Amino acid sequence: MSLSRRQTVTALAAVLPAATALTAHPAAAAARPPAGPRTLYIAGDSTAARKYADAAPETGWGMALPFFLGPHLRVANHAVNGRSSRSFLDEGRLAPILAALRPGDLLLIQFGHNDQKTEDPTRHTEPWTSYREHLLRYVTGARARGARPVLLTSVERRRFATGGGAVPTHGEYPAAMRALAADHGVDLVDVQAASLALWGRLGPEASKEHFLWLAPGESPNHPDGKQDNTHFRPRGAIEVARMVAAGLCRTRVLRPGDTRRLDADVPPGRITWPPA
C-alpha cells in the first residue's frame, strides 16, 4: 500500500497542475463555500457506483471517497452501473440530484466508459458533439442551483502494451471533457491521466491487485475466478478515491481542512458492502 500511495501522489503531481491551469476560473477560485455541512453528489457509471454484497469484492471508488473527506462533508453516490452521460439523463437520474442540490454542494460528473459503446444508441455519444452537449446539461443544472459542478475524466482501464507500458483506452472522450471544462470555466480533476500514470508505474502484475482479478475459489461471488480490467477491488477503489479527493484539493474546489488521510494508509478491509 505504501508504494501505491507514493505512486498516486507522483501521478497527481504530474498531471493535476495542468488540469488546474486548464480550468482556471476567477469567479470559481474566489468563491468560498458556505459554512456547515455540504454534500458531494456523484453522477457516474459502474467505476464509481456503490456495490452490494452479492458483487463483493467489486468496489466503486465512490464507496471509498468518504475516507478522504472531513466529517462535515457527505457523499451522495448516485452513480449507476452501465450508464453513460446520455442514458443517465434519459432515465431521469439527474433530476433527483438537481432537486436535492443546495448552494455550496458539489456535483462530481464522471462519464465516458459507456459513452464509447457505438453498438448501443441508448448510451453512445460522440466525444466532440453529443458527449459535450450532455455533460453541459449537468454543469448548467448544478450551477442554476448554486452548486459547483466538477468534471472528472474517466478512470483508466487496466491495459498494457507489449512492452509493458500502460495504454489509454478512452479515445477522444477525455480531451473533449478537458476542452469543455476550459470553454465553460468548469473545475476538472483529470482522473484519466492520474490513473494511467499510476497503472503504468505499478506495471502489468502489481496493477492486478487494484482490479477485479480473482483466482478460482477466491470469492464465493465469483467461484470460477474473474479477470476484469475495468472494475476495482477495494485497494483500487481506495486509490482512485484518493486521486479524486487530492484533485479536488489541488484544484481548490476543496480546502485543505476538507480532506484527510491523503498520504495515510486506508486498509482495504475498511470497505463494506450493504446487503443486496
Side-chain angles (χ1 to χ4, degrees):
M1 279 297 287
S2 297
L3 183 60
S4 296
R5 291 196 303 277
R6 289 197 297 270
Q7 290 166 331
T8 300
V9 170
T10 299
L12 286 166
V15 301
L16 285 174
T20 305
L22 241 180
T23 59
H25 191 244
R32 285 197 172 273
R38 289 179 289 147
T39 302
L40 285 72
Y41 290 84
I42 303 174
D45 55 38
S46 60
T47 60
R50 171 174 288 193
K51 313 298 178 181
Y52 293 86
D54 59 352
E58 184 178 338
T59 311
W61 62 258
M63 298 168 67
L65 186 59
F67 297 149
F68 301 103
L69 302 177
H72 59 290
L73 295 177
R74 299 172 293 200
V75 174
N77 190 353
H78 288 253
V80 182
N81 290 3
R83 271 50 179 193
S84 71
S85 65
R86 177 192 297 274
S87 63
F88 195 92
L89 283 171
D90 289 347
E91 294 172 5
R93 296 181 182 276
L94 179 60
I97 299 176
L98 297 182
L101 282 173
R102 297 293 180 265
D105 288 341
L106 303 180
L107 176 57
L108 309 184
I109 307 156
Q110 183 207 258
F111 293 102
H113 280 85
N114 299 300
D115 289 77
Q116 293 180 278
K117 297 184 183 295
T118 57
E119 73 283 0
D120 185 351
T122 67
R123 293 189 285 180
H124 176 61
T125 61
E126 291 292 340
W128 294 101
T129 53
S130 52
Y131 179 58
R132 285 171 51 109
E133 292 163 6
H134 284 89
L135 291 176
L136 194 56
R137 291 176 60 183
Y138 296 80
V139 169
T140 57
R143 285 177 166 172
R145 287 151 182 81
R148 190 168 183 172
V150 183
L151 293 167
L152 278 62
T153 53
S154 294
V155 58
E156 265 301 345
R157 303 177 178 97
R158 178 188 169 278
R159 183 174 298 176
F160 289 86
T162 303
V167 176
T169 67
H170 292 298
E172 294 294 310
Y173 290 89
M177 181 181 279
R178 294 179 192 114
L180 177 71
D183 291 345
H184 293 272
V186 187
D187 296 291
L188 179 139
V189 177
D190 201 344
V191 181
Q192 186 267 342
S195 57
L196 183 69
L198 178 57
W199 309 150
R201 290 178 67 90
L202 286 170
E205 288 305 313
S207 60
K208 291 178 182 178
E209 297 179 5
H210 290 64
F211 287 84
L212 199 61
W213 272 64
L214 302 168
E218 186 176 351
S219 167
N221 288 328
H222 305 279
D224 298 326
K226 188 88 170 176
Q227 294 185 3
D228 184 336
N229 293 312
T230 298
H231 302 102
F232 305 112
R233 296 175 69 136
R235 179 172 295 179
I238 288 167
E239 293 309 318
V240 175
R242 191 192 306 275
M243 290 177 193
V244 172
L248 293 172
C249 191
R250 287 174 181 266
T251 52
R252 299 183 182 178
V253 174
L254 295 180
R255 296 166 294 184
D258 291 330
T259 57
R260 56 183 174 174
R261 302 192 187 98
L262 292 181
D263 298 314
D265 180 51
V266 177
R270 292 197 61 184
I271 294 288
T272 58
W273 296 266

